[in-house]
Amino acid sequence: MQSHPICSPSHPTPSPIIVFTSSPNDPPPPQLLLRQCGREGRGLVASRPLPRGEVMLRVPDSLLLTAERAAEESCLGPLLRTRSTVAASSSSTGSGAPSPLPLPEWSLLALLLAELRCRLAAGDRASRWDPYVAVLPQRPGTVLDWPAKEAKQLLRGSPLMRLADSINGAAASSWQELEPLIAQGRKDGLIPDHVALEKSDLDWAFGVLLSRCIRLPSRGDVQVLSPWADLLNHDVEAEAGCHLDWDPTAEVGAVSGALVLRSDRPYTAGQQVYVSYGSKSSGELLLSYGFCPPPAANPHQDYKLRLAVDRQADPLADLKVAALARHGLPAEVEFPLKLEGLPEGLLQYLALLDARPKVAQETYDLASLLFEGGTFPLLDGEDTLALALRGLSSRCTAALKAYPTSMEVDQALAAGAAAAVANRQPRGPRRAAIASTISATGPIAVPPTSGAPSSPTSPDSLPTLGTEDVCVSSVRAAAVAGIRVRERQILQRTQAAASAQLGDVKRAAARTRRR
Ligand SMILES: C[S@@+](CC[C@H](N)C(=O)[O-])C[C@H]1O[C@@H](n2cnc3c(N)ncnc32)[C@H](O)[C@@H]1O
């Protein structure tokens, strides 16, 4: 691999490599090196043995791409400033609070990213962010890159369809916000001719944000793009991974405050450093980040069962919504079903949804018993626990019927892809990276590992599918088939657990009647 453009010494702006130094006067060797890490793409590895709690990376504020910076540096800045002023004067409380953003964070970040991408494509390299934008992936591989028709077909029957709709919906409404602004900017001569700023540019920018944006809890949950920090890959097995957050006390040179990465455990030289992108299922990672760990090996794999008060068919809907609200519960919830055990509160919620109380007070009393007392009462002689278990079983039946394919077809599809993908050699192995070290200090020696992939024959042995893999439509289809296999297994196991518990409830009731 060539030298990393981010590190280019010829670029006039301060190179982000300074984030690796804790003291500008006496820089120690960098703690992290950039490497090619197999199907995960680039990643960061420890350059030397690192103890637990070590600061591995500091990114100063000046290198964070925030929404405020995006608004300032976009060619539409003058228009955005007018909007900010109008918003500030209409919401002014004289509190000295920072002026509100003219648009939502992601719209501003996407706008600047898209603009920079258009400029770079036309050879216009006037921005200090160019080295960063130049190394962003051309295809982030998120669901925004999937043809709409294909996404509809692939995700039919799966709860992932709702996630895809919400991602596409968010990108579409952001475009609706930006389109008139872009038209106005063009009219006002603010946008150079070589900056197309089309919907496809914005969709690309949204894909970059979905897969790389970092939320900083210790800085008011602000969302940023950060060079270097966004080269950290996700480990499904790590509960938390290394800690990445804003630290107001960290110092880079004379400046206080930095985005800091601290090691969660000791690292050996050459070991890849991971963070956790959150407790995400393989489908969520596929749609939002463009890669798919094997669902069977992902401890966060689930089936998101959506339960909602039926406002159309339930004559007691308003009462139930009010009763739920009294207990701080929404009228719609997604319960993550897993292979092992039922999610907390699921049966109570189902009991309220499916019960048919006669009067308003009965609804409120039922809700109190379920959500406060933790008991399932008899309602008009009917056991509300049995009601909830039957409700769960029938919802699992309906969910299983909603898939357009059979279990056998999905298993074959996923297994076929496992074999095909295993034959494609990724660039460098996963956990102990070997070749192609890219760093300011040159390669370090790491013992080679046996790079030969295992030969999978079942969907369970599907390897992690990286972004390059899932950019191929047939591999995407197989990844979703593998997810459907796991979702079905979860639904079947849940149904079996509900039937078994229903049997217990019936036997207990029979014993009570006999006494
Ligand atoms: C924040 S970036 C990390 C850096 C990235 N590898 C790169 O080369 O730019 C997130 C992207 O990294 C890749 N990625 C992260 N974790 C992964 C994993 N466990 N397996 C496969 N790909 C992964 C995916 O392409 C994802 O969209």
Side-chain angles (χ1 to χ4, degrees):
M1 251 230 193
Q2 300 301 302
S3 87
H4 193 280
I6 282 182
C7 317
S8 164
S10 62
H11 201 268
T13 55
S15 159
I17 199 72
I18 61 158
V19 299
F20 287 123
T21 68
S22 57
S23 154
N25 301 327
D26 182 19
Q31 288 92 330
L32 296 173
L33 299 173
L34 186 58
R35 287 254 172 119
Q36 204 51 53
C37 298
R39 297 205 135 79
E40 298 166 11
R42 296 160 300 182
L44 297 177
V45 302
S47 63
R48 55 174 167 80
L50 297 173
R52 185 166 186 267
E54 169 111 344
V55 171
M56 296 191 281
L57 182 66
R58 286 188 189 88
V59 186
D61 174 71
S62 58
L63 289 174
L64 299 183
L65 180 45
T66 60
E68 280 90 356
R69 265 186 197 129
E72 273 161 33
E73 296 181 30
S74 161
C75 62
L76 292 179
L79 278 181
L80 294 167
R81 274 191 284 283
T82 320
R83 273 186 162 228
S84 285
T85 316
V86 172
S89 58
S90 61
S91 71
S92 174
T93 56
S95 63
S99 47
L101 289 172
L103 290 174
E105 264 182 322
W106 274 38
S107 293
L108 293 169
L109 288 166
L111 180 64
L112 183 68
L113 275 182
E115 175 185 332
L116 293 176
R117 185 198 202 207
C118 294
R119 285 184 187 272
L120 266 182
D124 168 353
R125 294 178 168 268
S127 165
R128 72 187 184 109
W129 299 107
D130 289 340
Y132 175 68
V133 176
V135 296
L136 292 175
Q138 284 304 307
R139 292 191 70 188
T142 72
V143 72
L144 292 169
D145 287 341
W146 304 12
K149 206 169 147 201
E150 184 194 307
K152 270 208 158 47
Q153 260 170 8
L154 277 188
L155 302 177
R156 228 175 88 205
S158 168
L160 289 176
M161 182 74 99
R162 292 197 296 275
L163 176 60
D165 286 346
S166 92
I167 293 174
N168 281 310
S173 60
S174 178
W175 173 245
Q176 268 174 11
E177 255 162 11
L178 290 170
E179 198 182 13
L181 205 71
I182 293 169
Q184 184 65 45
R186 237 177 253 299
K187 234 163 99 194
D188 297 352
L190 294 173
I191 306 178
D193 286 345
H194 60 277
V195 177
L197 276 184
E198 283 168 1
K199 183 167 184 304
S200 56
D201 299 311
L202 268 304
D203 278 347
W204 166 81
F206 257 93
V208 168
L209 290 173
L210 271 173
S211 55
R212 311 182 84 86
C213 205
I214 300 170
R215 189 185 287 275
L216 304 180
S218 299
R219 195 167 146 177
D221 261 349
V222 67
Q223 299 191 67
V224 301
L225 284 169
S226 166
W228 294 110
D230 78 346
L231 288 167
L232 290 158
N233 291 319
H234 169 74
D235 184 359
V236 285
E237 284 148 36
E239 262 315 306
C242 286
H243 190 66
L244 184 67
D245 197 0
W246 179 254
D247 180 350
T249 63
E251 289 185 357
V252 181
V255 182
S256 289
L259 170 60
V260 166
L261 175 74
R262 266 202 185 79
S263 56
D264 56 332
R265 58 198 158 91
Y267 285 85
T268 54
Q271 193 178 2
Q272 187 176 173
V273 175
Y274 290 94
V275 287
S276 170
Y277 297 174
S279 310
K280 302 218 171 345
S281 72
S282 295
E284 288 169 317
L285 291 169
L286 176 64
L287 267 50
S288 302
Y289 294 84
F291 70 96
C292 185
N298 183 350
H300 308 296
Q301 188 55 38
D302 60 15
Y303 178 101
K304 295 229 161 44
L305 181 68
R306 175 185 168 271
L307 295 179
V309 176
D310 188 346
R311 291 177 193 267
Q312 246 106 63
D314 191 342
L316 302 169
D318 288 344
L319 269 177
K320 288 183 180 175
V321 171
L324 285 167
R326 280 188 182 188
H327 297 276
L329 294 167
E332 181 182 332
V333 183
E334 278 189 345
F335 283 96
L337 302 182
K338 294 202 168 189
L339 276 183
E340 59 294 327
L342 295 180
E344 213 176 301
L346 166 70
L347 291 176
Q348 285 85 343
Y349 199 92
L350 266 169
L352 188 81
L353 289 196
D354 290 359
R356 295 280 166 259
K358 294 268 179 347
V359 290
Q361 194 52 45
E362 247 180 7
T363 313
Y364 292 124
D365 291 347
L366 174 62
S368 297
L369 286 167
L370 289 169
F371 302 121
E372 275 172 32
T375 52
F376 290 85
L378 290 178
L379 195 69
D380 282 336
E382 186 172 31
D383 187 328
T384 49
L385 176 56
L387 185 73
L389 289 165
R390 280 197 299 273
L392 178 58
S393 182
S394 67
R395 281 167 177 89
C396 288
T397 305
L400 284 163
K401 275 197 189 139
Y403 291 113
T405 46
S406 68
M407 184 71 143
E408 293 69 30
V409 165
D410 281 339
Q411 276 168 333
L413 254 173
V421 169
N423 291 332
R424 286 175 50 176
Q425 281 280 358
R427 284 181 289 159
R430 182 172 182 254
R431 288 188 184 273
I434 42 170
S436 31
T437 299
I438 323 151
S439 81
T441 55
I444 55 163
V446 178
T449 60
S450 86
S454 59
S455 54
T457 50
S458 83
D460 282 359
S461 50
L462 199 70
T464 289
L465 301 172
T467 297
E468 270 183 39
D469 301 312
V470 303
C471 280
V472 179
S473 159
S474 59
V475 178
R476 221 155 43 218
V480 177
I483 290 167
R484 278 196 299 260
V485 168
R486 202 59 171 179
E487 286 180 351
R488 276 200 200 80
Q489 289 167 343
I490 291 173
L491 288 167
Q492 287 164 348
R493 182 78 65 89
T494 304
Q495 200 167 32
S499 302
Q501 205 180 334
L502 190 57
D504 291 344
V505 172
K506 283 183 182 160
R507 278 187 290 280
R511 274 198 301 277
T512 311
R513 276 197 303 274
R514 276 200 301 275
R515 264 191 227 130

